[in-house]
Amino acid sequence: MSGLGIFDLSGRAAVVWGGGGAIGSAIAETLGRAGASITLIDQDRDRVEAAAARLRDVSLACLALAGDATDREDCDRLVGQAVDRFGRLDICFNAIGGGAGKVLHPAEDYPIDAWDWILDLNLRSTLYGTQAAVKAMIRCGRGGRVLSMSSVRGQLGINAGYSAYVAAKGAINALTRQWATEWAKYNITANAIAPTFVDTPQVAMLLGDPVFKANLIARVPLGRVGSPDDLAGAVLFFCSDASSFVTGQVLTIDGGLTATQ
Ligand SMILES: NC(=O)c1ccc[n+]([C@@H]2O[C@H](COP(=O)([O-])OP(=O)(O)OC[C@H]3O[C@@H](n4cnc5c(N)ncnc54)[C@H](O)[C@@H]3O)[C@@H](O)[C@H]2O)c1
């Protein structure tokens, strides 16, 4: 295959965990426009239905499912429904997570309830969602793509009370390498993308603080924060045949921030 055909996802089926969220819904559209059938999964029924309606408005094939990715049986049920609907599963995009700005505590006193909440939201959801999806990919026997949302915080500390979030995203980076190693025999690749701040409602309050935003942008060589659209190219690469020989990688998408550290 040559040319842009290596990015074509026609005939493939994807599940997007957190598909009602800002990044999940934007990436679902990217995957759909590349030809994939999409199952959006989110615990917020209204958000996931609204995201699905936006995809259908532009004539993309999609299914919206409500469920809790921190519940293992729910994950198996949701993936089962996706496979029943589209007959196969090729792509698992993990976009559940965040919450860091809501629980800022000094590292030496980081409370265990906040720790558990952030680890469940970011890590357990990614683990259970991926396990359910990969079991289905193995059954389908056509290989597959796992792509997870990490963060630059998986590799960089930040002097702002982020202990649980950095632990969760660091674990996602490590798991990505482990999954790549174990699932290569099924021709399933596992990669992650690690942005700095992406302008979404989840970080709107922080980015709404002009001093915080000016300090942040001053450290980013390309001089701005990211947008969900900035992730689209990397997602298409990692979810398509373009990345057939790439696995276990964590790509920072950060305007050069980590290059300066
Ligand atoms: N926004 C940023 O600046 C930024 C930067 C780096 C990484 N990320 C990562 O990108 C991902 C998406 O971020 P976002 O800004 O789109 O967040 P978001 O809050 O808009 O989307 C997350 C979605 O996950 C859903 N969700 C939460 N818990 C769930 C569960 N247990 N089961 C099912 N659905 C659940 C929420 O309802 C929400 O719709 C997160 O992993 C986040 O850590 C975000």
Side-chain angles (χ1 to χ4, degrees):
M1 189 181 293
S2 62
L4 290 178
I6 57 173
F7 296 100
D8 185 12
L9 300 179
S10 300
R12 314 261 168 102
V15 291
V16 177
W17 297 96
I23 291 174
S25 58
I27 294 308
E29 184 170 342
T30 298
L31 295 172
R33 286 185 184 277
S37 309
I38 308 295
T39 300
L40 301 161
I41 302 175
D42 204 289
Q43 68 180 5
D44 187 323
R45 185 176 294 277
D46 292 342
R47 290 182 75 172
V48 76
E49 296 286 358
R54 287 194 295 277
L55 296 193
R56 290 188 192 111
D57 279 350
V58 289
S59 303
L60 299 177
C62 72
L63 171 69
L65 298 175
D68 178 5
T70 64
D71 178 321
R72 182 170 248 153
E73 285 177 13
D74 222 16
C75 289
D76 288 335
R77 174 186 68 81
L78 293 158
V79 167
Q81 284 181 252
V83 175
D84 285 349
R85 171 73 172 76
F86 294 114
R88 57 189 289 163
L89 184 59
D90 306 278
I91 297 162
C92 169
F93 182 65
N94 295 313
I96 294 175
K102 293 186 181 157
V103 280
L104 302 175
H105 301 283
E108 65 277 18
D109 280 323
Y110 203 90
I112 202 65
D113 54 343
W115 176 272
D116 287 344
W117 179 63
I118 290 286
L119 268 285
D120 280 359
L121 172 60
N122 287 273
L123 186 58
R124 187 184 296 263
S125 65
T126 299
L127 175 67
Y128 287 173
T130 303
Q131 287 178 320
V134 165
K135 281 185 286 181
M137 288 175 190
I138 292 170
R139 281 194 296 273
C140 290
R142 296 187 182 90
R145 298 278 183 270
V146 175
L147 184 62
S148 302
M149 284 302 302
S150 182
S151 159
V152 291
R153 296 298 147 219
Q155 61 183 108
L156 296 179
I158 177 171
N159 190 11
Y162 268 55
S163 290
Y165 189 72
V166 301
K169 295 303 189 186
I172 285 174
N173 294 354
L175 260 182
T176 294
R177 292 183 282 269
Q178 181 64 21
W179 289 339
T181 310
E182 288 199 36
W183 294 336
K185 59 180 170 289
Y186 304 113
N187 198 24
I188 295 170
T189 66
N191 294 287
I193 52 176
T196 182
F197 279 91
V198 179
D199 198 354
T200 70
Q202 184 162 148
V203 294
M205 230 170 69
L206 276 174
L207 295 181
D209 174 346
V211 176
F212 178 89
K213 189 167 180 182
N215 281 335
L216 174 69
I217 285 176
R219 291 185 290 120
V220 177
L222 287 176
R224 62 178 178 83
V225 296
S227 77
D229 286 347
D230 287 316
L231 311 180
V235 168
L236 269 186
F237 170 71
F238 282 122
C239 291
S240 67
D241 292 345
S243 61
S244 297
F245 200 47
V246 180
T247 193
Q249 302 304 304
V250 179
L251 179 69
T252 49
I253 302 179
D254 64 357
L257 172 68
T258 47
T260 68
Q261 305 296 302

